[in-house]
Amino acid sequence: MTTKKIIQISLLLIFIFSLHSVSFAQSKQFTISGKVIDDDLGVPLEYSTISITSVDDPKYLNGGVTDINGNFAIEVPSGTYNIKVEFISFESKTFSKRKVDSNLDLGTIQLGFSSASLDEVVVIAETTQVEVRLDKKIYNIGKDLTTAGATISDALNNVPSVSVDVEGSISLRGNENVRVLINGKPSAMAGFGENNVLGQLPADAIERVEVITSPSARYDAEGTAGILNIILRKEKTRGFNGSLTANIGSPESYGITANVNLRSDKFNIFNTTGFNYRNSPGNGSFDTRYTQGFFDRVVEDRDMQRLGRRFNTNFGVEYFLNEHSSLTASAFFNFGNDEDITTNFSDRYQGNDLVQQTIRREAESEDDKSSQYSLNYINKFNDKGHQITADFQYEYDKEEKPAFVSERATLDLTPEGIGFLPSESVFTVETQNEYLIQTDYVLPFGEGSQFEAGYRGNFKNEVTDYTLSIEDEQSGQFELSPLTNVFNYTENVNALYSQYGSKFGKFSFLLGLRMENTQLKGKINTPLTDEQLLEEFGFPIDTDFDNNYLGLFPTVNLIFEIGESENITLGYNRRINRPRGWFINPFPSRASRTNIFQGNPNLNPAYASAFDLGYLKRWKKLTLTSSLYYQYETDAFERVQQGTGQFFNDIEIIRTIPINLATNERIGAEAGVLYNPAKWLRLNGSFNFFQFNTEGEFNGIDYGTKNTSWFARFSSKLTLPAKIEWQTNANYRGPSENSQTKSDGIFSLDLAFSKEIFKDNATLSFNVRDLLNSRKRNSFTETRSFTQESEFQWRQRSITLSLTYRFNQQKREQERRNQNNGNGDEGDFEG
């Protein structure tokens, strides 16, 4: 189907649906309006169902759904009506026998998570809970005991469908091509495209995580697996309140985080500030057997000592200009000082004889500074959801990473001798500037229909200044290496979108179309000629490229409500995966002379089309979520290992490089269960099974493969005597395989205990992450020139003791419950 036909069909559908809505309009009608929110999180419940039935005429049925801000406005003739507000997995609320002879404003309607009693609602809120929306699932992880004193990466590993591997890489349903947003936008908090900062920021800063596997057109088209949107805390209760959390742990770590909020009728001030000190030892081993070269076998044992010190603060002010508009300004600052020491012990064999031993030591420090400034303006034209928003964001990041690499021989039994082992001095400076401009317009009309349109411009420039100096054998002086270079990378994305949603009876839909123009521009300043680059890297390198891509990305999201607590969803979307700077920069890492990673500047974006069929069913004590999904991706990224044909001290250098494969076809199924058999026990489990089939070749080698894998997650929380809470999290990531590497399954177990103290104003928590110290990746790689067995552990078992003190929160929580009990007419609550 051509681009022109897609646009014509989309416009025709919007025109037809608009005529359908207008045809039902009636004169001399009155409007029933209101806003629906989650009473625990304070966030709008988009696509809540509003059902209106006439008391005098039972055959009369009207209704609609809420918009993105939870607002609804439905026109009805004068009469007396029963009005029911529903949202899947929440208690419904009914306004009985309401007489309508003028416009009726029901105000803010608060829905609570479904449970048999208010006490059970409190229990549910203590661990991860799920809310299902038309195009996403929302997990409230703010009170998960196992994340006390942990990082955002640790917290994400407890979210169903999400996995964080031993190196901190995030995947969604087993696919690493996931887009990470902070508060709905690209952010400095996610680091230089590697999500590394997420492993350093405290989990206490998170309010909730949105898992968006079928994104609508309002979201970036980036991320073929979907989007993870991390929402940071911003308290909405009135007055001054907050919390203070301190933790200490082993391996040596400690931290303190404060969350405070001050809200009045005219403004809302919020701040999260924290300092963390963390020692994270890790290790790895690599046993490589070669089919050619001087050595038959090389065994590397790697010891990693990583020390991180980090201060971060997020400060914001929301000012209410009038009843319909507000302006929010916020600033985020992150300062880090890290010291990493990696030691490689290398044993080299001829046959079964150990003939050489060396010790290689890399000492690297890292000073980084990140700042982000945001402005948001919102103007509501009326209470029906008609509004416009505008956003501006600027961020600046700078990382300075000096490193010194030295190597010496401890054993040498070869006749030729091990030769000179030069020391290396590496100095890397990375700077990034990024601007974001965005505006969104929302127009509700008809009975439960809504049109949206918007623009987003994202402009990013990243400069990597890499200086390598190598010790000269004769003079002992350090001389500049020809590998020294400056990589200037620019990514500009301009996007327009529109979407239309409506509801007919039990059927709701959301249709959208997004157009994005991407410019990927890079220039590598290097003294190497094209011939030298080809000799160094083994394939032609484009040192000055400027690529433009224009794409259309349609989205379709459908939902059918079988009953009050049961629905089926169907989603389709087209996505793009753009190569990041560190995937493009061809100059290799220096942690090992013989096992290196380097980027590929010839990478093209990957495109994927995905389908998602979901089913949700809620019983009194049990909630089931499930889905089947299929994805077809072209030019998919794949990391492959290969021998370079280059040798250092008679050892062939092995390179890991990302490439574009021809296709990647993925199919899978997942299911999640929330079960509350008793007030003192809560069980939560999820299972994901997937199969992928890749096809393609690189440098004449076929890297096609077919593999099946799965992962499972289980969590239980129970209340012991003396009101002690005990939580257990178990994770298993099944074996996986690509064209070269087989990886064993990984099992990990986390335990946590907590108790309320100081009249329930404070919580004392104790947790152990990776109790069995089993979170290790064991792999076997086989190529034409070598085989390699490896074991890698990014971080060892950790123990944390944490204390959280809350002020002015317990009282306000009780006030909120009392307000909920008194909100609306007597007998309005159902369930």
Side-chain angles (χ1 to χ4, degrees), residues 129-140 159-161 173 209-214 227-229 569 612-616 624-627 670 672:
Q129 70 181 42
V130 60
E131 303 171 21
V132 178
R133 307 286 175 88
L134 186 62
D135 58 352
K136 58 192 168 189
K137 295 184 179 72
I138 299 177
Y139 297 92
N140 174 23
V159 174
S161 305
R173 291 172 167 176
V209 175
E210 298 178 348
V211 179
I212 309 170
T213 52
S214 184
I227 294 173
L228 289 181
N229 186 21
T569 58
D612 192 294
L613 178 64
Y615 172 75
L616 179 142
L624 169 68
T625 60
S626 60
S627 65
E670 65 177 349

Side-chain angles (χ1 to χ4, degrees), residues 114-298:
S114 177
S115 186
S117 68
L118 281 174
D119 289 338
E120 288 188 350
V121 173
V122 177
V123 173
I124 287 174
E126 289 299 319
T127 56
T128 304
Q129 70 181 42
V130 60
E131 303 171 21
V132 178
R133 307 286 175 88
L134 186 62
D135 58 352
K136 58 192 168 189
K137 295 184 179 72
I138 299 177
Y139 297 92
N140 174 23
I141 64 175
K143 295 185 179 181
D144 193 326
L145 298 182
T146 62
T147 63
T151 67
I152 290 181
S153 290
D154 296 326
L156 289 177
N157 213 33
N158 289 346
V159 174
S161 305
V162 180
S163 295
V164 182
D165 70 12
V166 295
E167 292 180 298
S169 296
I170 299 171
S171 62
L172 182 59
R173 291 172 167 176
N175 189 342
E176 291 186 3
N177 298 333
V178 56
R179 177 67 153 161
V180 179
L181 304 177
I182 306 292
N183 294 332
K185 303 177 184 67
S187 174
M189 302 182 201
F192 284 89
E194 304 173 59
N195 304 322
N196 54 345
V197 177
L198 299 179
Q200 299 162 340
L201 295 179
D204 300 334
I206 304 178
E207 181 177 281
R208 66 187 188 274
V209 175
E210 298 178 348
V211 179
I212 309 170
T213 52
S214 184
S216 66
R218 81 165 68 100
Y219 293 103
D220 285 344
E222 173 73 27
T224 55
I227 294 173
L228 289 181
N229 186 21
I230 300 171
I231 307 298
L232 301 182
R233 290 185 183 275
K234 185 177 73 171
E235 185 59 54
K236 295 181 178 295
T237 53
R238 292 181 180 272
F240 180 66
N241 57 85
S243 64
L244 183 68
T245 300
N247 61 78
I248 186 170
S250 176
E252 184 183 9
S253 66
Y254 53 84
I256 185 168
T257 302
N259 292 287
V260 295
N261 180 82
L262 177 62
R263 183 182 175 98
S264 70
D265 291 334
K266 292 297 294 180
F267 62 83
N268 181 32
I269 301 175
F270 51 92
N271 174 251
T272 299
T273 299
F275 172 78
N276 286 276
Y277 175 99
R278 186 184 300 272
N279 184 15
S280 302
N283 60 82
S285 64
F286 305 86
D287 188 345
T288 309
R289 298 178 185 269
Y290 297 90
T291 59
Q292 58 184 355
F294 186 74
F295 297 105
D296 299 305
R297 180 188 180 196
V298 175

Side-chain angles (χ1 to χ4, degrees), residues 784-802:
R784 294 178 179 179
S785 59
F786 69 90
T787 62
Q788 184 181 85
E789 293 183 65
S790 65
E791 179 180 279
F792 189 81
Q793 183 178 25
W794 182 253
R795 190 176 64 190
Q796 300 174 11
R797 173 177 50 228
S798 62
I799 301 172
T800 304
L801 180 65
S802 176

Side-chain angles (χ1 to χ4, degrees), residues 452-688:
E452 297 180 47
Y455 162 80
R456 173 180 285 187
N458 206 78
F459 313 100
K460 179 171 63 177
N461 176 256
E462 181 179 325
V463 178
T464 303
D465 190 341
Y466 176 83
T467 304
L468 173 64
S469 300
I470 301 177
E471 183 184 10
D472 180 69
E473 182 177 6
Q474 302 299 325
S475 66
Q477 302 296 315
F478 283 85
E479 298 181 353
L480 199 64
S481 167
L483 292 178
T484 295
N485 71 95
V486 177
F487 180 45
N488 192 320
Y489 176 68
T490 299
E491 178 183 298
N492 296 326
V493 181
N494 287 280
L496 292 169
Y497 82 92
S498 67
Q499 61 184 19
Y500 173 79
S502 190
K503 178 180 174 66
F504 301 98
K506 295 185 176 182
F507 176 75
S508 303
F509 69 87
L510 183 63
L511 305 177
L513 182 65
R514 188 177 185 91
M515 180 177 69
E516 289 192 352
N517 176 259
T518 301
Q519 180 191 39
L520 301 180
K521 183 179 180 180
K523 183 176 179 61
I524 304 173
N525 291 320
T526 172
L528 297 177
T529 64
D530 291 341
E531 292 75 14
Q532 290 173 322
L533 286 169
L534 178 61
E535 181 181 353
E536 181 70 29
F537 300 115
F539 58 91
I541 297 294
D542 190 352
T543 59
D544 190 357
F545 59 89
D546 188 353
N547 301 320
N548 277 271
Y549 308 91
L550 180 66
L552 288 177
F553 303 91
T555 63
V556 179
N557 285 289
L558 312 173
I559 184 169
F560 180 74
E561 299 172 10
I562 302 173
E564 180 180 338
S565 57
E566 186 177 16
N567 69 26
I568 295 176
T569 58
L570 176 64
Y572 163 78
N573 62 89
R574 185 171 186 258
R575 312 287 296 164
I576 185 174
N577 187 34
R578 304 180 185 92
R580 293 298 169 213
W582 69 291
F583 252 41
I584 294 179
N585 193 340
F587 288 87
S589 63
R590 308 297 293 182
S592 169
R593 294 189 194 272
T594 56
N595 288 280
I596 64 173
F597 174 87
Q598 69 180 80
N600 180 2
N602 302 329
L603 277 180
N604 293 315
Y607 293 90
S609 293
F611 297 85
D612 192 294
L613 178 64
Y615 172 75
L616 179 142
K617 173 68 174 177
R618 176 172 56 85
W619 294 269
K620 184 177 181 180
K621 296 183 178 181
L622 179 69
T623 299
L624 169 68
T625 60
S626 60
S627 65
L628 298 172
Y629 54 91
Y630 171 81
Q631 182 185 86
Y632 184 81
E633 186 174 5
T634 58
D635 282 336
F637 299 165
E638 180 81 3
R639 278 182 277 194
V640 299
Q641 287 182 292
Q642 58 182 201
T644 62
Q646 302 175 16
F647 292 82
F648 177 80
N649 283 345
D650 297 313
I651 303 174
E652 186 177 16
I653 298 173
I654 299 171
R655 171 176 55 204
T656 300
I657 185 172
I659 64 170
N660 286 117
L661 280 183
T663 62
N664 184 352
E665 190 175 27
R666 183 180 295 262
I667 187 171
E670 65 177 349
V673 174
L674 296 169
Y675 181 47
N676 301 327
K679 291 172 60 175
W680 52 269
L681 178 62
R682 174 175 169 82
L683 305 174
N684 182 352
S686 63
F687 179 82
N688 191 310

Side-chain angles (χ1 to χ4, degrees), residues 188-200 276 305-311 334-341 362-370 397-404 426-431 794:
M189 302 182 201
F192 284 89
E194 304 173 59
N195 304 322
N196 54 345
V197 177
L198 299 179
Q200 299 162 340
N276 286 276
Q305 299 294 325
R306 300 186 309 278
L307 177 63
R309 293 169 289 243
R310 193 159 295 271
F311 171 83
N334 180 61
F335 304 97
N337 177 252
D338 302 337
E339 295 180 7
D340 300 344
I341 298 178
E362 179 184 21
E364 179 184 73
S365 62
E366 179 179 324
D367 288 306
D368 58 81
K369 303 177 180 66
S370 298
D397 311 279
K398 183 176 182 179
E399 294 181 359
E400 294 184 354
K401 295 186 287 187
F404 186 80
V426 184
F427 189 71
T428 306
V429 179
E430 296 179 72
T431 56
W794 182 253

